[in-house]
Amino acid sequence: MSEATDRPVDGDAWADACAEDLAAEQARRRARYGPPPGSAAEELRKLVDAVADKVSSLQTPLLGIAAQGALQQAVRQARSAVEPVIERNPQVFDHLAAAGGELLAAYRSAVEGQESRWTRTTEGASGGGPAKKPAEEPAGPREEGPSGPERIDLD
């Protein structure tokens, strides 16, 4: 006990206060936004379960009983194939999700660059005069007209 406060001396009061603040903030966010998304493996498992539930609840007259049975069998087989992979290698799905995000970012960058070049060359088309060519693009073999080949720069 500390003589000045008559309380037990805590190891690190600052760390305890930070932990309390963090727990309170996490509880506030959980209450406002719901639970945070799980790992990619957990989300895949939820997706497989949701698809399986939806398929099993389909009772349409368009599908015959044999077709419904075959569809449910296919869902069971897919689930039985996915479950062991998720159990053995859950971190693989996190890496695949991160790689997919990087590929999407690279694609988005390439598309945005190309779109900006397209809009730059067509800005003057409806402005009552001929379109002005940007100064930074040199004249050369790319200017073969609208039906000629166009090079897309992916850098």
Side-chain angles (χ1 to χ4, degrees):
M1 294 243 201
S2 169
E3 294 175 14
T5 59
D6 292 331
R7 291 188 306 187
V9 176
D10 201 3
D12 190 0
W14 181 259
D16 293 341
C18 289
E20 289 174 8
D21 288 346
L22 179 61
E25 179 65 18
Q26 288 173 340
R28 184 188 69 79
R29 287 179 180 256
R30 215 173 293 118
R32 183 171 182 177
Y33 301 113
S39 69
E42 292 169 358
E43 294 299 316
L44 178 62
R45 184 176 290 126
K46 288 179 188 177
L47 175 65
V48 168
D49 290 340
V51 168
D53 291 342
K54 187 65 175 176
V55 167
S56 66
S57 70
L58 289 177
Q59 300 295 329
T60 63
L62 297 176
L63 292 176
I65 295 193
Q68 287 178 348
L71 189 59
Q72 290 175 353
Q73 177 65 24
V75 168
R76 280 194 298 268
Q77 287 176 345
R79 181 184 280 174
S80 67
V82 167
E83 277 297 321
V85 174
I86 292 173
E87 291 298 322
R88 280 181 280 161
N89 303 311
Q91 69 278 7
V92 168
F93 294 99
D94 293 331
H95 291 296
L96 289 173
E102 290 295 319
L103 286 172
L104 180 61
Y107 174 77
R108 184 177 295 134
S109 175
V111 168
E112 285 175 353
Q114 186 61 32
E115 284 177 346
S116 70
R117 285 190 288 276
W118 285 338
T119 57
R120 255 194 335 235
T121 59
T122 60
E123 281 176 351
S126 63
K132 294 181 180 177
K133 186 179 0 175
E136 66 270 8
E137 290 189 22
R142 283 187 57 197
E143 296 183 359
E144 296 180 25
S147 63
E150 182 173 342
R151 181 177 166 271
I152 298 176
D153 186 17
L154 296 178
D155 288 334

